[in-house]
Amino acid sequence: MSRIYFLIFLVSIYLVLDFYVFVAVRSLVEGMAPVWRRTILIGYWAVSIFSLVGVLLYRQLDPKQFQNLRLYITTFFFVMFMGKVFATVFLLLEDVRRGVTWLVNLFPFVEDKFSTSRSDFMKKSALVAGAIPVATMSFGVISGAYDYRVRNRTVYSPNLPKAFDGIRVAQISDIHTGSFFNKTAVEGGVDMLNAQKPDIAFFTGDLVNNRSSEAKDYLDIFKKVSAPLGVFSVMGNHDYGDYTDWSSKEAKQKDIRNLHEMHKYMGYDLLLNENRKIKVDGEEIAILGCENWGAGRFSKYGDMKKTIAGAEENPYKLLLSHDPSHWDAQIRQEYSDIDLVLSGHTHGFQFGIEIGDFRWSPVQYRYKQWADLYQEGNQSLYVNRGYGFIGYPGRIGILPEITILELKRS
């Protein structure tokens, strides 16, 4: 029932914004020829009604049969909603000015009365402001969603065995197969990863959005990820089915087991609070895989005591942990002998600015470590920006990532 109330609230807000912006549009087209004025006004309401009808019908569409259509509906509504929000901000500023002017005009000592009509300049500015997010977010869907970037970094550690000095590590994270709509582009990203010829590869969680069935059409694509020392993976918060309705607890657990089998089918060694040893020339490192654990509201399935058991004496430990908040909340506090943690989860909010070493995204106000390499003493954390996307099916400024780390002995 709460979802219905939220939908009613959202649609009500949308209609208020819609009417507010429409008044400005109608005023601007008053001087146009009747045929153009009629076309613009009808077109305005046609787009709005189309968007609203889509949202109202959204929950009636079977997510298994109409997965992509549901994605398009929510994206179109969100883009239009944000455009109207931006336009409304400008119109509100102008209306505040008009209100102040009206009050000033009430005083008898004001001889030259000021105009309280809304200026054409501000109306045009409001529509331009509304068009900017619509254009930007549309470009983010068309261009940014699959614009994979290979990011190379070097990570130093005094504990790295000599036999592993210079090893190349590949990482992808947050695939979210349930959001994809271009299999060719997804496969192209996997080809880019393999072209880097990594020695070992890692996937740090979130294969799906809600259910294992979402991954079915993409398993053979991600099965192509290969590395001579193996491909290892962990679960992310979305992989536990916590964000969808299940007929029973047994149905949920069955779906999780199905997801485990999918990792096995792809050739990924899924680590469920456990570890593996990798040997090269008589020396070894420990690969630890902790189930989802973070400092926030997400469910905690991880158990570091189980994860590290048997690897305590290993000189170099690399931990896969989906949520980067795990690093500050537990790893640096209790497991200072873990040399490198690989995480994902944040997606870099799929929106932000990256110019050289400068990085900004709204997600940084929620996560201290949200993208790229972080170091404290001899411990390092790398946060992958994500391979896929969820919610908004695009990326603006923060592009999908394939990470290549070169491990060096310091």
Side-chain angles (χ1 to χ4, degrees), residues 215-234:
K216 184 177 179 181
D217 292 339
Y218 291 89
L219 295 179
D220 287 333
I221 292 178
F222 288 102
K223 186 178 182 180
K224 295 179 181 178
V225 174
S226 62
L229 295 179
V231 182
F232 299 85
S233 61
V234 290

Side-chain angles (χ1 to χ4, degrees), residues 326-340:
H326 194 187
W327 196 52
D328 272 344
Q330 187 180 53
I331 302 305
R332 291 185 56 230
Q333 305 297 322
E334 304 175 29
Y335 299 92
S336 59
D337 58 340
I338 290 180
D339 301 274
L340 174 61

Side-chain angles (χ1 to χ4, degrees), residues 283-296:
E283 295 185 296
E284 68 175 23
I285 63 174
I287 307 299
L288 286 60
C290 186
E291 295 199 57
N292 193 71
W293 197 103

